[in-house]
Amino acid sequence: MSTFWVACAVIVSLYVAFWHYFKATTWCRSQTCLIGKTAIVTGANSGIGYETALDFAKRGARVILACRDKNRAEVAKMKIVKETDNENVVVKIVNLASFDSVRDFAKNINETEERLDILVNNAGLGGVKDDKSDDGLLLVMHVNYLSAFLLTYLLIDLLKKTGPSRVINVSSIAARFTNFDVDLINNYTGAYTIYANSKLCNLLFTMELAKRLKETEITTYCVNPGVVQTEIFRHVKGYSKVFINIFKEDFFKTCEEGAQTTIYTAVTKNIEEYNGCLFDNCKVVDTYPTADVKGLPKKLWEKSVKFVELKPEEIMY
Ligand SMILES: NC(=O)c1ccc[n+]([C@@H]2O[C@H](COP(=O)([O-])OP(=O)(O)OC[C@H]3O[C@@H](n4cnc5c(N)ncnc54)[C@H](OP(=O)(O)O)[C@@H]3O)[C@@H](O)[C@H]2O)c1
């Protein structure tokens, strides 16, 4: 065989292998109806969060779009209502870079909503350097993890009262590839590392939350959505940006594809035995070795309680 044909075979094989690894999608086939149920999706105005909210609205849920920008959220709401004919889609504003805003949002939910069946901690950002949040913490860690921790914590009573209910935490494959030190979660160690650490925190939080709530009807699942063509990469610069632009069309999942595992864990019946587990492509997978460290989820929980400065009247678990 000539060198030309060998090269062609290698290129095609690589293409197929990459396609299969990144793009192949298992679809959520659950027909679960959500009429009468309430779901909150953070970061629901774009990407994976938008597709998740759209799916819940199609199933008849009351869907709360928890977003920071009123205009973007209202545009998303209009599109969802138009596509689903479900008028029960509402926008509630929360800035996950501020613990005060999270507390105000949770207070509003606890005072105005009768039930909460599904909470999806989806909002996130990446490719950001050492920018600080309103509370002076690393922005990425604050938005991607610490606010999700606080929000969930403050909504536990409502989730408990509603039960069975579910909390879904959106993580990333990046959580597998990081050198994590729980004592340094607020130390800047590079844009990739801080993102990966925050996504590992999402997984560790899921594991510990499941343990602490095992006597309740709340279950919790962690999701790796895959690599998805969303706006999350807008802050990425340099060679990484070039790489993303070359590969995204062929190899990254569409937003709808990327939302499938989140939707699966939120609506599929009889997955409670996997409480606290990690899901990828609509199936349960082994936890990442970076999370499989004795005592680490508990240590992170205790550290998080300090970071979010839980008030005495808030401490329950
Ligand atoms: N895309 C991927 O390949 C990929 C891979 C693994 C994991 N994930 C995870 O998937 C989740 C969803 O991201 P995406 O890919 O769908 O990206 P996206 O389209 O950029 O969506 C992120 C959402 O988070 C919101 N957000 C950011 N900062 C916020 C803040 N301070 N307060 C409230 N909301 C805030 C954004 O709101 P604005 O529109 O106002 O900025 C947006 O709605 C993230 O947790 C991400 O880490 C994504």
Side-chain angles (χ1 to χ4, degrees):
M1 210 191 290
S2 75
T3 313
F4 173 77
W5 289 111
V6 172
C8 286
V10 169
I11 289 167
V12 170
S13 305
L14 280 177
Y15 188 94
V16 171
F18 273 129
W19 189 91
H20 191 77
Y21 184 75
F22 288 109
K23 179 88 173 146
T25 301
T26 306
W27 290 81
C28 172
R29 301 286 177 207
S30 168
Q31 299 294 317
T32 301
C33 169
L34 295 180
I35 292 173
K37 312 278 189 199
T38 299
I40 295 177
V41 183
T42 67
N45 58 284
S46 71
I48 297 165
Y50 173 82
E51 292 294 336
T52 304
L54 176 67
D55 180 277
F56 293 167
K58 280 184 189 156
R59 293 172 191 269
R62 170 173 171 76
V63 188
I64 298 166
L65 313 182
C67 304
R68 66 171 161 177
D69 184 287
K70 187 147 177 57
N71 292 338
R72 282 201 286 271
E74 289 295 344
V75 170
K77 174 189 157 171
M78 263 166 29
K79 279 165 59 188
I80 293 174
V81 171
K82 191 166 172 217
E83 189 167 338
T84 62
D85 273 337
N86 180 347
E87 299 278 347
N88 205 359
V89 178
V90 293
V91 168
K92 295 200 179 193
I93 298 303
V94 59
N95 176 10
L96 296 170
S98 153
F99 291 138
D100 282 349
S101 177
V102 173
R103 284 191 162 89
D104 288 347
F105 176 86
K107 185 168 184 286
N108 173 283
I109 297 291
N110 283 321
E111 287 175 357
T112 59
E113 298 296 327
E114 280 169 12
R115 58 185 303 130
L116 179 57
D117 301 87
I118 302 167
L119 168 63
V120 182
N121 289 311
N122 163 80
L125 78 167
V128 177
K129 294 211 162 161
D130 57 348
D131 299 24
K132 299 290 187 294
S133 69
D134 293 14
D135 298 272
L137 301 170
L138 277 180
L139 183 65
V140 171
M141 185 55 79
H142 193 153
V143 171
N144 293 8
Y145 166 62
L146 288 167
S147 280
F149 172 88
L150 180 61
L151 179 61
T152 308
Y153 197 99
L154 298 176
L155 295 177
I156 285 176
D157 273 352
L158 184 59
L159 287 157
K160 212 161 144 188
K161 190 181 101 185
T162 309
S165 54
R166 294 184 182 182
V167 178
I168 318 301
N169 295 308
V170 181
S171 178
S172 161
I173 188 72
R176 183 190 267 274
F177 306 103
T178 181
N179 193 4
F180 184 70
D181 182 341
V182 73
D183 291 319
L184 302 179
I185 60 170
N186 194 40
N187 288 30
Y188 183 70
T189 41
Y192 169 79
T193 314
I194 195 68
Y195 177 76
N197 285 350
S198 72
K199 295 286 112 182
L200 180 58
C201 289
N202 296 142
L203 175 55
L204 294 166
F205 170 50
T206 309
M207 293 159 73
E208 185 65 15
L209 186 66
K211 222 184 233 175
R212 291 186 186 237
L213 299 181
K214 70 172 181 294
E215 303 303 334
T216 73
E217 282 194 288
I218 308 171
T219 53
T220 178
Y221 310 94
C222 189
V223 167
N224 168 25
V227 186
V228 190
Q229 294 170 32
T230 68
E231 293 176 28
I232 195 104
F233 303 109
R234 65 183 173 274
H235 302 292
V236 177
K237 296 195 175 76
Y239 291 121
S240 308
K241 188 83 181 175
V242 175
F243 176 84
I244 287 167
N245 287 340
I246 291 171
F247 283 92
K248 76 174 178 198
E249 285 300 316
D250 279 355
F251 298 119
F252 290 12
K253 291 182 179 181
T254 64
C255 296
E256 191 185 6
E257 290 167 346
Q260 292 307 306
T261 307
T262 302
I263 297 163
Y264 178 91
T265 51
V267 304
T268 302
K269 294 194 164 64
N270 304 323
I271 58 165
E272 285 73 13
E273 66 179 294
Y274 301 118
N275 188 17
C277 291
L278 173 66
F279 283 73
D280 190 341
N281 246 337
C282 296
K283 61 177 185 300
V284 70
V285 293
D286 287 344
T287 197
Y288 300 141
T290 39
D292 197 12
V293 179
K294 198 163 181 285
L296 188 58
K298 181 168 180 276
K299 201 171 170 197
L300 176 66
W301 182 285
E302 285 160 1
K303 193 104 195 154
S304 308
V305 165
K306 291 192 184 132
F307 269 114
V308 304
E309 295 180 358
L310 282 184
K311 303 184 169 120
E313 67 276 17
E314 290 172 346
I315 295 175
M316 294 171 287
Y317 299 94

